[in-house]
Amino acid sequence: MTHRIVVAGGSLAGHSAVAELMALVPDADVVWVTGERHRAYSKPALSKEFMQARNEIADLMLPGIEGDLGRLRIVSESCASLDPSGQSVVLGNGERIGFDQLLVATGARARMPDILQGVGGVFPLRTLDDAVAIRESLAGKPKVVVIGGGLIGCELAASMRTLGLEVTLVEQLQSLLERPFGGAFGTYFLDLHRDNGVELIMGGMVERLAVDNGWVAGVKLADGTTIDAQLVVVGAGSEPCTHWLEGSGVAVDNGVVCDTYLATSRPAIFAAGDVARWMNPVYGIQMRVEHWTNASAQGRAAARNMAAALTGRQELRKAFGDVPYFWSDQYGQKIQMVGWHQGHDHVELDRSGEAPGPLARFYRDGRLVAAAGINAPRIVMKLRRQIEEEARALQAA
């Protein structure tokens, strides 16, 4: 009997899982529902190299899938719903695809507040199409307003300044990159952007947009300030793409809830990547991680656990433990973060001569749980190994 595996989502996690499944389950049919009109592509470069025209669309494409491609069907439609009783995925065009196993890898979508929608010249950045639209809008040398001081907002602001554009960044908090770096570096990011010519408005609340003939003309703040703008890019965070799972019985809570093996609350259904909220054995807590390295590794891990369940090869079945890692390049500065700093009770800042830039170590109950550094890749990756080793020792005790 030929089994059918459906992978929902054209993300990196989906790509990694399909490649692994093709190798591990050679007698199964794989249906990859990508929801994308493009081939699978690399997203980290969208806000940096691609936005700065240092690479093109062809440079972003991920490697093709190898193996018996006669067993692989790629569908560009999106998933509309999941019918667990019929063990099938319903596509946006009404087609039903039955499955023996399903991997949910539908990722996350950009959060766009209602007041920012439906106006020309206002864009989020999550997909390649978003990036192309923004890049095409730069030809007229517009004045740019960036809404949001997280990773996407700061990377976009840095790219726009690198291109010589006038940029204003509006952030509700009093610091930049607060969530990813836990405020450990104080004014470092503020100074970095100001020194490179970005006008920062901290504690700013966007109230509405000024519009001229359907196109953005400015951003109005709650304090009455109006910022002229011909282009607005939005970095207001993201939300997991779980809407299509409503009523399916798959547990959802800020992502698809999974165990350590990336299995969901429904038999034969797994999840991976930005959409998955799994129990990470390294930390003993549930977390949802939206980072490139996690998506790649998690997609492969989910595929191995699916293959184990389908083929009985239990040597493939392993819990997925990971020390999250992400990086950012802004104005030539290499910014890195490893681990999970949420819930830390102590942070140590190192500005000694041993580190090329500021370095932060995060602790919880005396255990190193995260580290961040500027221009210190060797030290940061060494600390990542330390976090992994200490976790293994704790689990073995």
Side-chain angles (χ1 to χ4, degrees):
M1 177 180 177
T2 301
H3 295 283
R4 178 184 290 162
I5 304 171
V6 172
V7 176
S11 62
L12 174 63
H15 178 274
S16 300
V18 169
E20 196 81 0
L21 288 166
M22 293 291 288
L24 292 176
V25 195
D27 58 347
D29 290 331
V30 178
V31 181
W32 187 11
V33 183
T34 68
E36 284 268 6
R37 65 187 186 91
H38 303 283
R39 280 177 46 201
Y41 55 89
S42 171
K43 288 189 174 182
L46 295 181
S47 57
K48 301 183 284 292
E49 294 90 346
F50 182 76
M51 195 58 58
Q52 296 170 35
R54 291 191 284 126
N55 60 23
E56 300 301 328
I57 291 178
D59 302 317
L60 304 177
M61 296 298 113
L62 297 178
I65 302 297
E66 297 181 353
D68 178 6
L69 298 185
R71 299 187 296 106
L72 174 64
R73 178 189 173 198
I74 300 178
V75 184
S76 60
E77 283 286 332
S78 295
C79 298
S81 62
L82 171 62
D83 177 5
S85 60
Q87 198 90 338
S88 62
V89 170
V90 183
L91 306 186
N93 62 2
E95 181 184 357
R96 287 177 174 266
I97 302 178
F99 61 83
D100 295 292
Q101 286 187 326
L102 169 67
L103 177 67
V104 179
T106 42
R109 57 188 174 187
R111 184 178 291 116
M112 280 288 282
D114 291 342
I115 60 172
L116 303 179
Q117 296 187 31
V119 178
V122 180
F123 302 97
L125 177 59
R126 189 76 195 184
T127 68
L128 178 55
D129 287 339
D130 294 334
V132 169
I134 295 170
R135 199 169 110 169
E136 289 177 348
S137 300
L138 303 181
K141 301 291 183 182
K143 181 177 180 183
V144 182
V145 172
V146 177
I147 298 176
L151 272 175
I152 292 296
C154 286
E155 289 180 351
L156 283 170
S159 289
M160 303 300 182
R161 283 301 300 146
T162 299
L163 295 170
L165 301 177
E166 187 176 348
V167 179
T168 300
L169 188 152
V170 181
E171 167 56 47
Q172 293 183 21
L173 302 178
Q174 295 299 327
S175 62
L176 297 176
L177 299 167
E178 176 73 24
R179 182 172 175 268
F181 290 95
F185 293 131
T187 64
Y188 179 87
F189 296 121
L190 294 172
D191 294 340
L192 179 64
H193 282 270
R194 284 192 179 115
D195 290 347
N196 282 278
V198 176
E199 180 186 359
L200 297 177
I201 298 180
M202 309 307 295
M205 181 74 70
V206 176
E207 190 171 76
R208 61 190 178 90
L209 299 176
V211 182
D212 183 11
N213 290 323
W215 198 268
V216 66
V219 176
K220 293 182 178 292
L221 305 183
D223 65 1
T225 302
T226 298
I227 311 166
D228 292 338
Q230 292 83 50
L231 173 65
V232 173
V233 288
V234 183
S238 63
E239 50 194 22
C241 293
T242 57
H243 56 285
W244 66 285
L245 297 172
E246 291 179 7
S248 68
V250 173
V252 172
D253 180 11
N254 183 30
V256 177
V257 179
C258 305
D259 62 14
T260 57
Y261 297 93
L262 304 172
T264 73
S265 59
R266 299 284 307 192
I269 300 178
F270 294 72
D274 295 0
V275 75
R277 183 166 175 256
W278 95 107
M279 177 60 69
N280 188 342
V282 173
Y283 291 90
I285 59 174
Q286 280 194 324
M287 60 177 66
R288 186 172 70 85
V289 176
E290 294 188 42
H291 302 321
W292 185 250
T293 54
N294 177 80
S296 177
Q298 204 169 63
R300 293 192 301 272
R304 289 192 293 270
N305 287 331
M306 294 170 74
L310 202 60
T311 66
R313 294 175 56 192
Q314 290 306 302
E315 74 275 9
L316 296 174
R317 186 173 186 266
K318 293 182 181 178
F320 180 72
D322 185 53
V323 176
Y325 167 65
F326 70 87
W327 73 95
S328 178
D329 295 306
Q330 298 173 35
Y331 311 109
Q333 306 299 300
K334 185 73 171 182
I335 304 167
Q336 294 173 293
M337 180 84 193
V338 295
W340 191 256
H341 71 74
Q342 285 87 333
H344 72 273
D345 52 35
H346 176 63
V347 60
E348 291 181 357
L349 289 177
D350 182 358
R351 293 180 178 270
S352 68
E354 296 180 13
L359 185 72
R361 294 177 176 87
F362 299 84
Y363 295 88
R364 183 168 59 245
D365 298 328
R367 173 188 167 194
L368 180 69
V369 293
I374 315 295
N375 298 326
R378 183 183 60 81
I379 299 174
V380 170
M381 300 315 288
K382 180 180 179 181
L383 292 172
R384 187 186 192 193
R385 291 192 295 273
Q386 180 181 335
I387 294 170
E388 292 172 338
E389 291 167 0
E390 290 182 1
R392 284 197 296 267
L394 189 65
Q395 292 167 6

